[in-house]
Amino acid sequence: MTSSETQIFKTTTWSPGPGCHGGCGVLAHVKNGKLVKIEGDPDHPMNQGRLCARALAMTQYIDHPDRLRSPMRRTGNRGEGKWEPITWDAAFDLIEEKMNKIREEYGPESMVFNVGTGRDIYAWICMLAYAYGSPNVMFGLTGQACYGPRLAAAITVQGDFAVFDAAQWFEDRYDHPGYKVPETMIIWGYNIHATCPDNLFGHWIIDLMKKGTKIICIDPRLSWFGSRSKYHLRLRPGTDSALVMGFLHVVINQGLYDEAFVKKWSNAVHLIRKDTGKLVRESDLFSGGSEKNFAVWDTKDNKPVIWDTTLVGFKDTPDADPAVSGEWEIKTADGGIVACHTVWDAFCARANEYPLDKVENITGVPAKDIHDAAVLYAKSKPGAIHWGVAVDMTPALTPLVTGISALWAITGNLDVPGGNVFARFAFDVVPYALPGTKGAIRLKTEEQDKPRIGANRYMPLNKFYWRCQTDMTLDQIFTEDPYPIKGMWIQTAGIMQGLGMDPKKWRAALEKLDFIVAVDLFHTPTTQYADVVLPAGSFLEKDSFRSWWVPLQTINKVVEVEGCRPDVAINFELARRFDPEFKFDTIHELYDDILKPAGMTFKELQAKGWAYPPEGSASCPYLRHEKGLLRQDGRPGFRTQTGLFELYATLREEWDLEPMPHHEEPPFTPVSRPDLAKEYPLILSTGRRSPAFFHTEHRQIPWLREIDPDPVVEIHPTTAAKNNISHGEWMWIENWMGRARYKAKVTPVVPEWMIMAPHGWWFPEKKAAEPDLYGMWDANINQLIPMGHQGKDGQGAPIKHSMCRIYKCEGGRS
Ligand SMILES: Nc1nc2c(c(=O)[nH]1)N[C@H]1C(S)=C(S)[C@@H](COP(=O)(O)OP(=O)(O)OC[C@H]3O[C@@H](n4cnc5c(=O)[nH]c(N)nc54)[C@H](O)[C@@H]3O)O[C@H]1N2
Ligand SMILES: Nc1nc2c(c(=O)[nH]1)N[C@H]1C(S)=C(S)[C@@H](COP(=O)(O)OP(=O)(O)OC[C@H]3O[C@@H](n4cnc5c(=O)[nH]c(N)nc54)[C@H](O)[C@@H]3O)O[C@H]1N2
Ligand code: SF4
Ligand SMILES: [Mo]
């Protein structure tokens, strides 16, 4: 690696450095062991040479003087900013001793493993937690309100997650035979040109637009794509679920749905009892069996019908092809006769609760625009939808996600070219600990999972999201009920400066703990609360791989930064210390084990660079539900308990949660809290990402900070004038919880009734010690957002719609 000639290495970005969800291919130019230049790999099928500013600035990141280069031990009080360097051995010994003590005295569950957006480190955090014996891996965001909830909700009704199709499954991309360009694409609460999240890229949508795709943008703010859209539906934040009900209303009432799909592949023809409002199940039915002792009677045609009694629906037989609508009677086990209707009728009745004038009233979007946009999408064959994190950042996210999923399903856009396509891990290589994971990283026994916080209270969390519930965990640190929490492992998580809402509460929680380890590349406001801080390496300093979703590709070590270690090496060393039965001796052995389903070793994959799953495999589209590629039993259908796309979510009924989509007003809006609106008249939206930063990162990288030097809040010209605030002036944003200081950017991209404040601000150039804490208390917008408002299924939270007032900061910012 150390050559005086410039050598060019191919690798994949993921995590530390750019921030990365995406996995762009890059060419790293290295001379004398140092990174001298980085550029996009033109041969890489995902980014085709394109790269974000953060990756391009890696030359300023990798040897940055602020990078931690040795483990540090705190010598003063928490938050006092006093540290001494210690050796890696001393750090590991200290961590082992302290964490063993917690495990012996209080049990392994008393240690919480806190992760942020996680990236490739997520798997290794689970590995460490599970080797230690704790089920409490926590994504430290209130209501875990990013991505996971969307996945859980979509999987509940369709068995898999689905994403928009930009031919990313194929190495030849758009040239692939059988691929179709979507005629229309809905960009729903998504700032994707700047964020490229979740392994999807804004430039893909630009590619599609060049090929003719029309855009519908659903966003209160005029985003880059919004300004280039056919319809920009500027809704009031938090009312997306009403809007999707309006879309469904149009699609159903204008007959724009795909009847064949609805009949054959959804649970539309299952029955719902009118007396209880619940699904008819086999146990409800009279079991006499003869025609006279009918189980189900078609009241329209006056004859008995044959039913599949699994979760009562029509048998897939040639003579059983009823209409999706109808009135029926069942003879119940106790001999009574009960009237029923179909799931489809119940679903249509639900949509009919949302006529467009009502939806206009709730959302603020003109009824005509809703109508026209819905018709455009429904008539597009194919049409695609993709959603961003705004969808998770509301407490009633499941009724919203299931509504959007129903929209793409009933319009015939699911699992088809150019529509919404199931995303599966390439070759079924699953590094994460997920439900059903068979790989190396999982809890050893079910018993170990029992104390997982929130898993008994929230079934969606229990079944689909193997983490503890964040808001409950924070509370439990204070209450110690039902057991005390004594330690926290923090890795890839900026709890104080961006990940945690109500950071004062988090600070009090951290102060209460006996032992905290933080693993990061830099000191941050969060690390100031740790006992030990370990210096991690960037993506250029490690061997790793990624399978989220396709292709399967390696990350290749190209440089070394003295004193730092890759996260995986840190966690591997400690996992071996905590678990005498830990079964791997080297990290490459661990990788080989996880990569087994691909039939390749790590070295073999590394030699290829990347690999695409072959057609006909479960991780390659299309129409996998017809081909029997989705279900474990190999039968056609979806991976749900009915094998069908569930317009009525059977699991949610079992969990006493609302099984069909609907609108719920979030907790802090002018509609739900008119009392607060008198004092806090503006809607506070947060978190619109800057292309220069990844959340709380990069404020110390000169090129990036130059792009975006200050915390800037977007405010409409009329609102600014009303409050006597001019462009470029400092202003306070305030509500009942606290305040934060931002610079005004006066712009019509936001509506008059809303301001938009990005999150994650701190100032690495300021003092570390409290009360400064790198200036974080001045500009942290999360001080205005509460914890503890997760949705009914333990997920989602009101992050993108709070309330505030504003006023000029008379002294500017000293
Ligand atoms: N540059 C950069 N890229 C990133 C990140 C980063 O910090 N910086 N973070 C990464 C992470 S972890 C994530 S989760 C993703 C997120 O990526 P995105 O999902 O694109 O998230 P945001 O930038 O918050 O943009 C959300 C959009 O939703 C709109 N919005 C706000 N409230 C509502 C609402 O109630 N309804 C609707 N329909 N729209 C609303 C906002 O105006 C904004 O345009 O980005 C990832 N990529
Ligand atoms: N108000 C508001 N707050 C938000 C949001 C919002 O929209 N509005 N968005 C939320 C969302 S969606 C998310 S995902 C969270 C993100 O929250 P975080 O994931 O906590 O944010 P980051 O700043 O990306 O990362 C935190 C720390 O991890 C370090 N780090 C990065 N990569 C690695 C790595 O690979 N290894 C190690 N050891 N350290 C690493 C960084 O240096 C940084 O100090 O923020 C949330 N906060
Ligand atoms: S665009 Fe995303 S995936 Fe690509 S280098 Fe930048 S952060 Fe990483
Ligand atoms: Mo996120």
Side-chain angles (χ1 to χ4, degrees), residues 540-686:
L540 292 166
E541 299 157 50
K542 67 182 177 191
D543 274 349
S544 188
F545 65 92
R546 96 179 241 118
S547 64
W548 178 30
W549 305 96
V550 290
L552 183 61
Q553 52 188 340
T554 58
I555 300 166
N556 310 313
K557 179 173 174 178
V558 298
V559 290
E560 198 157 311
V561 174
E562 210 187 323
C564 304
R565 293 197 187 176
D567 294 85
V568 62
I570 295 168
N571 295 25
F572 192 87
E573 168 66 25
L574 285 168
R576 274 160 36 113
R577 289 187 184 217
F578 289 125
D579 179 7
E581 291 163 23
F582 192 72
K583 64 180 199 178
F584 304 105
D585 290 322
T586 66
I587 291 167
H588 279 202
E589 263 179 43
L590 167 73
Y591 290 173
D592 288 347
D593 190 81
I594 299 174
L595 288 169
K596 255 189 217 148
M600 275 178 265
T601 62
F602 178 76
K603 287 276 169 212
E604 285 163 353
L605 179 63
Q606 203 172 31
K608 282 178 189 269
W610 58 78
Y612 280 82
E615 284 192 53
S617 70
S619 43
C620 190
Y622 298 102
L623 296 174
R624 282 169 278 187
H625 66 285
E626 290 187 5
K627 297 174 191 157
L629 289 169
L630 298 174
R631 294 167 58 82
Q632 248 148 11
D633 60 15
R635 285 167 53 204
F638 300 90
R639 200 166 39 170
T640 55
Q641 61 175 351
T642 53
L644 298 165
F645 181 96
E646 296 194 357
L647 293 168
Y648 182 99
T650 55
L651 272 175
R652 289 181 68 77
E653 187 197 275
E654 285 166 27
W655 298 336
D656 278 335
L657 292 164
E658 170 59 52
M660 285 196 293
H662 59 278
H663 173 62
E664 281 174 40
E665 189 63 31
F668 302 106
T669 71
V671 173
S672 57
R673 294 300 303 270
D675 55 328
L676 286 176
K678 284 186 205 133
E679 258 191 276
Y680 307 105
L682 286 172
I683 295 177
L684 170 63
S685 183
T686 65

Side-chain angles (χ1 to χ4, degrees), residues 21 54 117 146 150 188-192 194-198 218-221 223 235-240 388-390 685-695 754 756 759 800-801:
H21 283 178
R54 302 179 309 281
T117 188
C146 168
R150 247 178 289 169
W188 203 310
Y190 211 12
N191 198 32
I192 184 171
T195 54
C196 293
D198 318 325
I218 299 177
D219 199 313
R221 178 176 174 272
S223 64
L235 79 177
R236 178 168 65 82
T239 62
D240 301 76
V389 76
S685 183
T686 65
R688 188 268 312 152
R689 280 105 175 100
S690 156
F693 305 132
F694 202 84
H695 297 289
M754 178 183 113
M756 169 62 88
H759 66 297
K800 291 211 186 287
H801 28 75

Side-chain angles (χ1 to χ4, degrees), residues 741-759:
R741 184 159 36 183
Y742 277 67
K743 202 176 197 175
K745 178 176 181 180
V746 177
T747 164
V749 301
V750 286
E752 283 176 45
W753 34 263
M754 178 183 113
I755 59 167
M756 169 62 88
H759 66 297

Side-chain angles (χ1 to χ4, degrees), residues 15-16 117 119 494 498 519-520 567 686 689 696-697 759 782 800:
S15 202
T117 188
R119 317 148 245 232
V519 190
D520 207 307
D567 294 85
T686 65
R689 280 105 175 100
T696 72
E697 297 174 58
H759 66 297
N782 294 3
K800 291 211 186 287

